[in-house]
Amino acid sequence: MKIEQDIALAVRLAEAAGQAIRPHFRSGLDAERKADASPVTIADRAAEEAMRRILQAEVPQDAIIGEEFGNEAGTSNRTWVLDPIDGTVSFIAGRPIFGTLVSLLVDGWPVLGIIDQPILGERWIGASGQPTTFNGKPVRTRSCRELSEAMLATTGPQYFDDHQGDHFMALAARTDHRRMMMGGDCYNYGLLASGQIDLVCEAGLKLHDWAALVPVVEGAGGTMCDWNGDPLHAESEGHVLAIGDPARLEDVIEALACHH
């Protein structure tokens, strides 16, 4: 399939998820706890089911990995990775900074990604070889002359263990930490792609958390990698960096490692 066809399919998945999610936003619905204690709602499940139905009907040869319903084997080298609501805590709290993530991997490498915010009507689309768009218009990350000028974001300190937290705080100390932001999940990566923030650092992410983000960030001129600076692929451990200005990559890796 051409990438344009894949993008069109991914957009249909995001739209189907949004239709399932919107009726539940700020509706007072209850959340359950999964085995890892993270919350899940009827909206998460309904959105993923809607996306899976489309994929099963149109690309049955492709594998599917979803946060709520696990893995479905395929016969091609292509895998669709779905996170129906990335940022369920924000969703439950009524904060419109969660997102639906749709990604296509080929041989384990992300080639297409969508960050869709169905309440605000905001959508970032990234695809290999194409500029990232936000609501149809190209976007670019911004330059950052010094790490000390960088605006850093992370979902929250509770997601780092003590060792990871030491490394994160070492990095934070080298940035413009008075402007550091907590919370945001996938929305932070969209803001980075649009040139609003400079750096996102997280640990313990699963494939469905980050796969869609890579094409979005890189198509906007940024870079994504693990904490060692290595490119992200399906076997990566989930220690994730997004850097708006690739010129700051070595500075970020050095700052993160300074507690070794």
Side-chain angles (χ1 to χ4, degrees), residues 8-23 43-55 84 100 102 116 118 123:
L9 176 56
V11 167
R12 287 180 53 210
L13 299 179
E15 290 176 345
Q19 289 174 3
I21 291 167
R22 281 188 290 272
D44 296 80
R45 294 181 174 131
E48 185 168 322
E49 286 172 338
M51 292 190 285
R52 282 178 178 267
R53 283 194 294 270
I54 294 171
L55 291 172
T100 296
V102 179
D116 189 78
R123 180 180 297 153

Side-chain angles (χ1 to χ4, degrees), residues 86-235:
D86 182 73
T88 299
V89 172
S90 289
F91 173 77
I92 294 167
R95 302 174 72 199
I97 54 172
F98 62 91
T100 296
L101 300 180
V102 179
S103 180
L104 175 62
L105 275 58
V106 176
D107 294 324
W109 297 93
V111 299
L112 166 63
I114 289 182
I115 304 171
D116 189 78
Q117 212 308 308
I119 307 304
L120 300 177
E122 297 182 335
R123 180 180 297 153
W124 289 267
I125 300 176
S128 294
Q130 297 192 14
T132 292
T133 61
F134 172 66
N135 287 355
K137 297 181 179 179
V139 290
R140 295 290 294 178
T141 59
R142 67 188 183 190
S143 62
C144 181
R145 292 175 300 176
E146 302 288 342
L147 186 57
S148 60
E149 300 176 358
M151 189 174 185
L152 170 65
T154 192
T155 297
Q158 68 271 32
Y159 298 105
F160 297 112
D161 62 27
D162 289 345
H163 180 70
Q164 295 160 353
D166 286 345
H167 287 271
F168 173 80
M169 291 308 297
L171 170 62
R174 298 272 297 276
T175 68
D176 188 356
H177 54 85
R178 293 183 182 275
R179 293 195 298 157
M180 186 169 66
M181 295 193 306
M182 296 288 180
D185 298 280
C186 64
Y187 200 74
N188 289 333
Y189 298 82
L191 293 176
L192 183 141
S194 291
Q196 300 295 126
I197 61 178
D198 302 296
L199 178 60
V200 185
C201 177
E202 306 202 78
L205 300 189
K206 298 180 174 64
L207 180 62
H208 58 255
D209 293 315
W210 61 258
L213 311 175
V214 176
V216 170
V217 168
E218 294 187 345
T223 189
M224 281 192 68
C225 59
D226 65 16
W227 287 15
N228 295 316
D230 297 324
L232 296 171
H233 56 86
E235 302 304 318

Side-chain angles (χ1 to χ4, degrees), residues 28-47:
L29 82 173
D30 293 326
E32 301 172 26
R33 292 283 181 174
K34 295 190 284 189
D36 63 358
S38 63
V40 62
T41 70
I42 188 175
D44 296 80
R45 294 181 174 131

Side-chain angles (χ1 to χ4, degrees), residues 57-69:
E58 300 205 10
V59 284
Q61 71 278 9
D62 293 349
I64 304 173
I65 296 175
E67 180 179 15
E68 307 307 336
F69 296 104

Side-chain angles (χ1 to χ4, degrees), residues 1 172 229:
M1 290 178 108

